[in-house]
Amino acid sequence: MSSTPEVRYSRLSESEIETEMGRRFRRVVIEKSIPRLTYLYGRLRGKFWAEMDEYTGASDLFVKRYQFHIYEVTFWVNKDDGISKGIPFGFEPDANFPMHKLPPTIPCHLVIEGSTQYFGVVLHDPQFADVTFNHKLQQEEGRELFGTIETYATGYILDELKEVYEEIEYLPEEMSHVTPSVMPQGIAVDNERYAQAAASQGLVAGNSHKWWVMNGAVRSVHSNSIYNGFEGVISWVILALFMLALLPRLILFLPFIGVILVFRMMPVIIWKWLMIAMIVLVPLFFIISLLFPGYRVRSVVKPQAINYDSVTGVIPPSPRLAETDQASESQRDSLIRHYRKWYDYKGKLYEGSYYIKVSDYSSAHKWKNSIAVTGSGEGAYDYMLYLLKRHDQNRLSGLYEMFDSIKMANKLDSVQFADVIVSFVQQIPYCLVLEKACSPSLYSDAFIRDYLSSENARCDEYERFGINSPVEFMATSKGDCDTRTLFLYVIFRHYNYKVAVLSSEFYSHSLLGIHLPLTGQAYYYKNEPYYCWETTSAGIPAGAIPKEVDKLDYWRLSLTSD
């Protein structure tokens, strides 16, 4: 059982301010992140790949001798009785299944039964019951299994409520040491008596207030006269500027000046503080009353609930807007905005917003429909990918800004940053992109027919070449294997990675290849490993290719950055 997430506090910004009277304080903007757990219960189905542990005895069931990796998971829950906010479901895990061998988190596609909603989520602390394994196939070396798993499952998805507020922290005044025997008015120095005296005046130690006497140190007193010292100079400068600004109406202030002259006859210490108060506060309040109808020192941003794990973004622009041939250049460009939340392979949450210009989306769509590429051979396909890359690579600034801020805020190295970018794409729900209509009867390919006939199939029809360009993909969130691979190729080239697009006519599939210090299956180019990365399913790290497409002899390079 994983530990419950705790409330986190983050300082967003700090600024120090000093008043005219020399009082210093710090304004701190704080973000409070409150974890929110939503528990799910339903039917789970996915693929597994299991690697055998050290053999521990012939009596063990095979499931107890293998370490499990689960991927391409779909989780069906009922909208009425399969979702609970903050309260776990009563659930009895399968005693014959070793729960400790499950990963702490499982990325999956969540389908809400009884509605059209689906999400990409990460299931935390998964628990299984009534586990069934299907189509188990054992490798020749006898140490691996792969197949499909079906089970009833529960767990929770995690998101956060964020509240931003300000705090004011008063800073201690500068102290100078004096002999701790006698205070200025002849009061003997005694720490215990200081504490009693401070308590009697309602003063306590803390961030907002400091005792005026601390450990035998008292405030330095340089002069008893307002005419001497820094405070006196500042006071007279403020008074002179204020009176010059109001010179035409100076007669109105003659009574005020008379009062000052009367005060001058008072003892210096009393006159000093009254003078400072009038010089600073009266003009300040007068100016504020003229310029502002009200003044607010502290503001609190009302927290807003975040829709958990939404990957569908906003509604894409209408085709009529994107296909407009004539547009006034004087009109301001519109933006397609998306907000995304996703998790890396360790379950860490990332989130951000990006935008695509409508003019760029329209341009990308027109470019794809106008490029002069004919034929169906390998060369024609590769050239088509190159032309789409060349057109779109400088039209993704809104996305680069989001990734730049995430990398800087989290101090990510090259491998961690690559994980964040690929998991961002993997957790966008799969969508088949076709040149013709989305009708199973039009296609002889078994995968296309079966997919279009399946429940919750997503399809983008009448797209030339059966692909969406990187800009189109980010605008609509609709993409299959080569759409995603081409997009990632463009993004990684922007960040100066060594990257490649791998294609297989035999498997009718596309993979990303990336040159990083990783492990797993790799395609070698110029004696350098390009680790293969599956982009259509959540939770598959670099180097782990599904067994159905793992023969590298059937793969080739379509694009390479080197």
Side-chain angles (χ1 to χ4, degrees):
M1 183 74 68
S2 61
S3 60
T4 303
E6 298 180 350
V7 176
R8 295 185 297 106
Y9 295 87
S10 304
R11 292 195 172 205
L12 301 181
S13 64
E14 298 182 8
S15 59
E16 290 191 9
I17 300 176
E18 183 172 350
T19 66
E20 290 84 350
M21 297 178 63
R23 193 65 184 270
R24 295 167 56 243
F25 64 91
R26 180 186 294 116
R27 178 180 287 113
V28 183
V29 180
I30 299 176
E31 181 181 73
K32 180 180 180 181
S33 300
I34 306 171
R36 180 174 63 175
L37 278 60
T38 302
Y39 288 87
L40 305 175
Y41 170 77
R43 189 71 181 171
L44 182 146
R45 183 172 64 203
K47 296 181 180 180
F48 74 87
W49 166 50
E51 189 174 14
M52 185 181 289
D53 287 339
E54 292 296 327
Y55 187 75
T56 57
S59 61
D60 286 353
L61 296 173
F62 86 90
V63 70
K64 295 184 179 181
R65 305 205 315 271
Y66 285 80
Q67 293 290 343
F68 276 80
H69 309 271
I70 302 177
Y71 60 98
E72 294 188 29
V73 175
T74 302
F75 192 17
W76 290 269
V77 301
N78 187 278
K79 67 177 182 179
D80 297 322
D81 55 15
I83 303 175
S84 173
K85 295 183 177 180
I87 302 176
F89 287 95
F91 189 82
E92 187 67 30
D94 196 328
N96 294 322
F97 188 90
M99 297 298 169
H100 66 279
K101 293 194 175 184
L102 285 176
T105 58
I106 299 178
C108 55
H109 288 159
L110 175 64
V111 179
I112 308 298
E113 295 178 337
S115 74
T116 59
Q117 293 180 299
Y118 54 88
F119 306 92
V121 303
V122 173
L123 187 68
H124 294 255
D125 193 21
Q127 301 288 310
F128 290 175
D130 192 17
V131 181
T132 303
F133 293 96
N134 299 319
H135 310 300
K136 294 185 289 294
L137 301 175
Q138 191 161 353
Q139 298 296 95
E140 295 178 0
E141 61 270 23
R143 296 189 61 85
E144 291 184 331
L145 292 174
F146 65 92
T148 60
I149 180 174
E150 294 190 20
T151 178
Y152 287 100
T154 188
Y156 66 85
I157 56 178
L158 175 66
D159 69 326
E160 294 179 333
L161 294 173
K162 295 186 182 295
E163 176 183 352
V164 179
Y165 60 95
E166 289 184 357
E167 284 189 355
I168 302 299
E169 297 180 354
Y170 287 96
L171 301 177
E173 299 181 8
E174 294 184 359
M175 302 293 181
S176 62
H177 186 72
V178 299
T179 304
S181 57
V182 179
M183 289 180 58
Q185 280 72 32
I187 302 175
V189 174
D190 180 84
N191 287 338
E192 183 176 352
R193 290 175 58 193
Y194 290 166
Q196 294 174 354
S200 68
Q201 299 178 41
L203 298 178
V204 296
N207 289 333
S208 299
H209 302 281
K210 300 294 181 182
W211 289 357
W212 70 289
V213 177
M214 300 178 65
N215 297 326
V218 299
R219 186 183 309 163
S220 299
V221 180
H222 299 289
S223 174
N224 290 329
S225 173
I226 187 61
Y227 298 103
N228 297 322
F230 180 76
E231 292 180 347
V233 173
I234 294 297
S235 300
W236 282 110
V237 169
I238 294 175
L239 178 60
L241 292 176
F242 178 70
M243 296 188 68
L244 285 174
L246 299 178
L247 191 59
R249 301 179 182 179
L250 188 58
I251 190 171
L252 299 177
F253 290 88
L254 290 178
F256 176 73
I257 297 174
V259 172
I260 293 178
L261 294 176
V262 173
F263 284 168
R264 184 67 183 85
M265 302 174 63
M266 295 181 180
V268 173
I269 188 65
I270 297 177
W271 187 90
K272 171 183 176 179
W273 291 112
L274 289 176
M275 188 66 176
I276 291 176
M278 286 187 293
I279 291 174
V280 174
L281 296 180
V282 174
L284 182 62
F285 291 156
F286 177 75
I287 294 172
I288 290 176
S289 66
L290 293 177
L291 297 179
F292 303 101
Y295 181 69
R296 183 175 60 186
V297 176
R298 171 183 173 133
S299 63
V300 177
V301 179
K302 182 179 179 181
Q304 298 181 351
I306 302 173
N307 292 329
Y308 59 82
D309 302 306
S310 172
V311 297
T312 56
V314 300
I315 300 175
S318 65
R320 287 188 300 174
L321 178 60
E323 295 288 352
T324 301
D325 292 325
Q326 301 294 331
S328 173
E329 294 184 358
S330 62
Q331 292 180 345
R332 185 174 59 184
D333 201 357
S334 300
L335 299 178
I336 305 165
R337 293 189 179 275
H338 289 266
Y339 167 75
R340 284 289 314 280
K341 292 178 63 179
W342 72 100
Y343 298 82
D344 66 9
Y345 303 107
K346 296 181 180 179
K348 182 176 180 180
L349 173 66
Y350 295 90
E351 57 186 315
S353 298
Y354 68 89
Y355 63 87
I356 297 293
K357 294 180 180 179
V358 170
S359 60
D360 288 339
Y361 174 45
S362 176
S363 174
H365 193 72
K366 293 175 184 177
W367 172 254
K368 183 178 69 175
N369 289 331
S370 66
I371 57 178
V373 175
T374 58
S376 58
E378 297 176 356
Y381 177 80
D382 296 348
Y383 184 53
M384 177 269 296
L385 293 180
Y386 167 76
L387 292 177
L388 295 180
K389 180 272 299 183
R390 188 182 68 180
H391 180 272
D392 283 16
Q393 61 188 359
N394 295 323
R395 290 175 166 85
L396 296 166
S397 57
L399 196 73
Y400 297 145
E401 292 171 6
M402 182 187 73
F403 284 138
D404 289 341
S405 64
I406 289 174
K407 182 179 181 181
M408 182 178 299
N410 294 275
K411 298 180 174 60
L412 303 175
D413 61 29
S414 60
V415 174
Q416 293 169 334
F417 190 44
D419 285 347
V420 169
I421 293 174
V422 177
S423 59
F424 166 84
V425 172
Q426 287 179 334
Q427 291 174 38
I428 298 175
Y430 181 84
C431 178
L432 197 60
V433 183
L434 299 173
E435 284 197 270
K436 296 183 288 186
C438 296
S439 173
S441 62
L442 297 178
Y443 303 95
S444 59
D445 184 275
F447 169 78
I448 296 179
R449 287 201 317 270
D450 293 344
Y451 178 79
L452 292 177
S453 302
S454 66
E455 185 181 8
N456 300 315
R458 301 178 71 233
C459 180
D460 189 13
E461 60 187 3
Y462 301 117
E463 296 290 348
R464 192 182 181 201
F465 306 116
I467 190 173
N468 278 325
S469 73
V471 168
E472 290 177 304
F473 180 39
M474 285 297 96
T476 65
S477 296
K478 295 179 179 179
D480 49 15
C481 59
D482 51 359
T483 295
R484 296 161 184 257
T485 304
L486 177 60
F487 167 76
L488 287 170
Y489 175 86
V490 171
I491 296 298
F492 281 121
R493 278 207 57 167
H494 173 77
Y495 289 107
N496 298 317
Y497 283 75
K498 284 188 176 182
V499 68
V501 173
L502 300 173
S503 302
S504 172
E505 284 70 32
F506 181 82
Y507 291 126
S508 297
H509 197 39
S510 179
L511 295 173
L512 180 73
I514 193 165
H515 179 63
L516 284 172
L518 302 169
T519 60
Q521 287 187 281
Y523 186 98
Y524 278 80
Y525 174 65
K526 293 184 178 180
N527 295 322
E528 291 184 326
Y530 282 71
Y531 290 93
C532 302
W533 218 328
E534 173 62 52
T535 65
T536 60
S537 298
I540 301 181
I545 310 178
K547 301 299 180 181
E548 299 86 349
V549 295
D550 66 347
K551 303 300 182 185
L552 294 181
D553 292 341
Y554 294 120
W555 290 91
R556 65 178 184 83
L557 287 175
S558 287
L559 289 177
T560 176
S561 60
D562 190 4

